[in-house]
Amino acid sequence: MTYRHRAIIDGIPAYRQGKSAPRTQGRRSFKISSNENPFMPLPGVVEEIRQRSLGRINRYPDMRGWELVERLAALDGVEPENVVLGCGSSEVITQLVSLVAGPGDEIVYPWRSFEAYPIIVAGAGATSVQVPNRPDGSHDIDGIIGALNEHTRLVILNNPNNPTATSLSDADARRVMEAVPSDVLVLFDEAYFQFNTDPDASVALDLFREYPNIVVAHTFSKAYGLAGLRVGYAVAPADVIEGMRKVSLPFAVSDVAQRAALASLDVSQELEGRVKLIIGERDRVVAALRSQGWQFAEPYANFFWLPLGESTDAAAAAFVEAGLSVRVFGGEGIRITIGEPEANDMVIEVCRQLKERGL
């Protein structure tokens, strides 16, 4: 059936969820295609949900999420008026784009980067200005600055960048901020910032205190291991937060998600320990692959990027055959999430075999 709809919808790419672990006989398989945390939720989180949320799922949650908002504001050293929740950081990005852009407006961001950006921008009726990354997968700062014009309504910087795992330096972030007009917002998407060990990395909350036009997006999906509950938040100037709330999805963050986030904040030491374990596994895998002869940019997230070009599909098939689902970008490369140690060992072995085959 043909139905009437916005013509722009036909040009919007559908978001692709990471593939499930392939079915294998006689051995364990792993899903390392979605940058999920391999650990269960932090201690006490599941029990908190059972005790305080499951008996209330017949009721709407606090739409503003004040208890969590106030806790996050105190943690980040801002006012509650500077924080808004969303159904994952993707939703707060959608809120922001809906607030600032529409037909005739442009949003500048690096590419390749988070696959939701072009979808969100097109959904708002705005135009994406995709600035190709440098050969190492990092942001082309000169290119981003050069793309600014009178139609620019938002600049997005992804740190660490997904899928290339590269880090944005403080110096490069400041170059962008000095070039962008003060009435144009700059979004720092920091979904993986807990894993960023780059000593020169930009810290968006520090810049937020210096510049009037910064928005910071964080999430509980990655380091905190709450991807299935969908809770993220943004820090922004109070008037921007007020506007984002107007275009937000009502009751998007469930009470279960809010309680889980609060309980996760109560066990920050356990969080730090888990993050260190994942970073340690990342470094172990990277060292092993480099000893095999692989060359790729230093990763600063809970994943790394293999730029395989025309060999991408052949390499992806080898991972599937071994029982590993990875994120494949045809003709470009593969993003591999750091998972359980057993999964990481399998990644090392597959890469060894690929290198022996001449990939």
Side-chain angles (χ1 to χ4, degrees):
M1 181 184 74
T2 301
Y3 61 96
R4 299 179 184 181
H5 63 280
R6 297 166 61 203
I8 196 174
I9 301 300
D10 295 330
I12 298 178
Y15 186 84
R16 297 180 300 117
Q17 184 176 5
K19 291 184 178 180
S20 300
R23 294 182 178 179
T24 58
Q25 290 186 343
R27 59 181 173 180
R28 190 178 177 189
S29 61
F30 294 91
K31 177 187 177 186
I32 50 174
S33 57
S34 291
N35 296 342
E36 295 161 330
N37 194 314
F39 295 108
M40 293 291 290
L42 291 162
V45 172
V46 174
E47 187 59 29
E48 174 74 6
I49 292 172
R50 289 197 187 102
Q51 291 185 359
R52 301 191 59 177
S53 294
L54 293 186
R56 292 177 44 83
I57 57 176
N58 60 314
R59 303 293 184 184
Y60 287 112
D62 174 8
M63 190 169 74
R64 183 73 167 89
W66 269 112
E67 187 176 357
L68 179 55
V69 163
E70 290 176 343
R71 183 76 175 274
L72 291 169
L75 181 67
D76 291 340
V78 298
E79 297 299 321
E81 292 75 18
N82 296 122
V83 179
V84 65
L85 302 182
C87 184
S89 57
S90 297
E91 205 245 321
V92 297
I93 296 171
T94 303
Q95 294 171 12
L96 181 61
V97 171
S98 298
L99 171 65
V100 301
D105 298 326
E106 295 181 355
I107 296 180
V108 177
Y109 55 87
W111 195 254
R112 176 167 297 275
S113 193
F114 183 33
E115 291 174 86
Y117 295 157
I119 299 171
I120 294 170
V121 173
T127 299
S128 286
V129 178
Q130 298 179 343
V131 179
N133 291 324
R134 297 186 183 114
D136 67 353
S138 63
H139 293 2
D140 179 357
I141 300 302
D142 289 334
I144 288 172
I145 293 172
L148 303 174
N149 60 42
E150 67 274 14
H151 301 293
T152 305
R153 294 295 177 269
L154 178 68
V155 176
I156 302 176
L157 302 174
N158 191 274
N159 189 31
N161 187 53
N162 176 14
T164 59
T166 52
S167 177
L168 175 70
S169 71
D170 180 71
D172 279 345
R174 290 179 183 276
R175 286 184 59 204
V176 174
M177 294 311 305
E178 293 299 326
V180 173
S182 61
D183 61 349
V184 172
L185 295 175
V186 179
L187 169 66
F188 287 80
D189 184 357
E190 292 188 333
Y192 307 92
F193 78 95
Q194 291 94 341
F195 304 103
N196 194 339
T197 54
D198 178 9
D200 298 321
S202 164
V203 178
L205 283 172
D206 291 345
L207 295 174
F208 174 77
R209 296 174 176 86
E210 299 181 39
Y211 295 91
N213 53 331
I214 284 180
V215 180
V216 185
H218 285 173
T219 182
F220 283 85
S221 295
K222 310 303 180 183
Y224 289 95
L226 299 181
L229 289 181
R230 313 306 303 129
V231 54
Y233 70 100
V235 175
D239 58 340
V240 176
I241 293 296
E242 182 180 3
M244 291 173 67
R245 288 177 58 200
K246 291 178 180 179
V247 296
S248 66
L249 180 66
F251 306 108
V253 184
S254 69
D255 185 69
V256 173
Q258 293 180 38
R259 299 312 316 177
L262 284 163
S264 296
L265 294 175
D266 288 336
V267 285
S268 59
Q269 289 185 341
E270 284 81 357
L271 173 70
E272 292 175 5
R274 290 189 174 184
V275 167
K276 288 180 180 178
L277 285 173
I278 293 172
I279 291 173
E281 280 293 290
R282 179 191 73 194
D283 293 347
R284 179 176 74 88
V285 173
V286 168
L289 266 58
R290 290 205 168 126
S291 71
Q292 295 171 359
W294 291 94
Q295 296 181 0
F296 51 91
E298 186 71 25
Y300 291 104
N302 65 329
F303 55 88
F304 65 97
W305 170 255
L306 287 181
L308 293 161
E310 295 180 356
S311 300
T312 296
D313 290 342
F319 281 102
V320 172
E321 184 178 357
L324 299 168
S325 68
V326 293
R327 193 58 170 246
V328 180
F329 298 84
E332 296 182 55
I334 294 176
R335 187 193 71 194
I336 301 174
T337 302
I338 299 301
E340 297 87 341
E342 183 180 349
N344 301 332
D345 289 341
M346 292 167 65
V347 168
I348 294 171
E349 176 59 20
V350 171
C351 287
R352 183 191 65 79
Q353 296 174 8
L354 289 172
K355 185 56 68 173
E356 288 182 351
R357 287 165 47 185
L359 267 71

